[in-house]
């Protein structure tokens, strides 16, 4: 970031462009990663240790896959399998959405199954 973009060398403010935060949200614990100090080979993630085991089965049927470039289809499946919903949501009737590679992806999750409802540029 260059001076004139909201940054001044003497400023105590850190501007973070492109962050998905509500205006005014504080960002905590900004520090560099130091391998000699931060590497913990036996560390665990606690409640997230089994997160990779909870992948969703993804269904993108009909003509919907054709709306995406072929090179983006597998990446979308992988992102969706990780369940991009807010973690506090468990509404099987709600349609969720997010931006992916310049497209708006809308989907529904029921149990362990995610169904893509719409893909729009």
């Amino acid at each position: 970031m260059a001076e004139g973009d909201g940054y001044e060398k003497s400023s105590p403010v850190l501007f973070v462009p492109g962050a998905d935060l509500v205006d005014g949200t504080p960002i905590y614990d900004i520090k560099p990663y130091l391998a000699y100090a931060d590497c913990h080979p036996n560390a665990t993630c606690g409640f997230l240790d089994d997160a990779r085991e909870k992948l969703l089965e993804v269904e993108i049927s009909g003509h919907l896959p054709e709306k995406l470039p072929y090179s983006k289809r597998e990446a979308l499946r992988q992102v969706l399998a990780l369940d991009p919903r807010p973690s506090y949501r468990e509404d099987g009737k709600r349609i969720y959405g997010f931006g992916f590679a310049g497209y708006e992806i809308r989907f529904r999750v029921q149990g362990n199954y995610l169904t893509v409802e719409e893909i729009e540029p």
Side-chain angles (χ1 to χ4, degrees), residues 92-108:
K93 294 178 183 168
R94 179 173 176 178
I95 295 180
Y96 299 91
F98 70 103
F100 176 83
Y103 293 83
E104 185 65 24
I105 310 299
R106 300 204 191 290
F107 63 94
R108 180 185 323 260

Side-chain angles (χ1 to χ4, degrees), residues 21-67:
L21 302 171
V22 175
D23 190 27
T25 300
I27 300 174
Y28 295 104
D29 198 24
I30 298 174
K31 63 179 182 171
Y33 172 78
L34 303 172
Y36 68 86
D38 294 335
C39 183
H40 304 283
N42 297 323
T44 63
C45 297
F47 68 94
L48 291 177
D49 279 340
D50 64 346
R52 295 295 276 166
E53 297 174 14
K54 295 181 180 178
L55 297 178
L56 297 175
E57 292 195 33
V58 177
E59 174 69 29
I60 307 174
S61 60
H63 65 284
L64 290 176
E66 298 165 8
K67 291 188 170 190

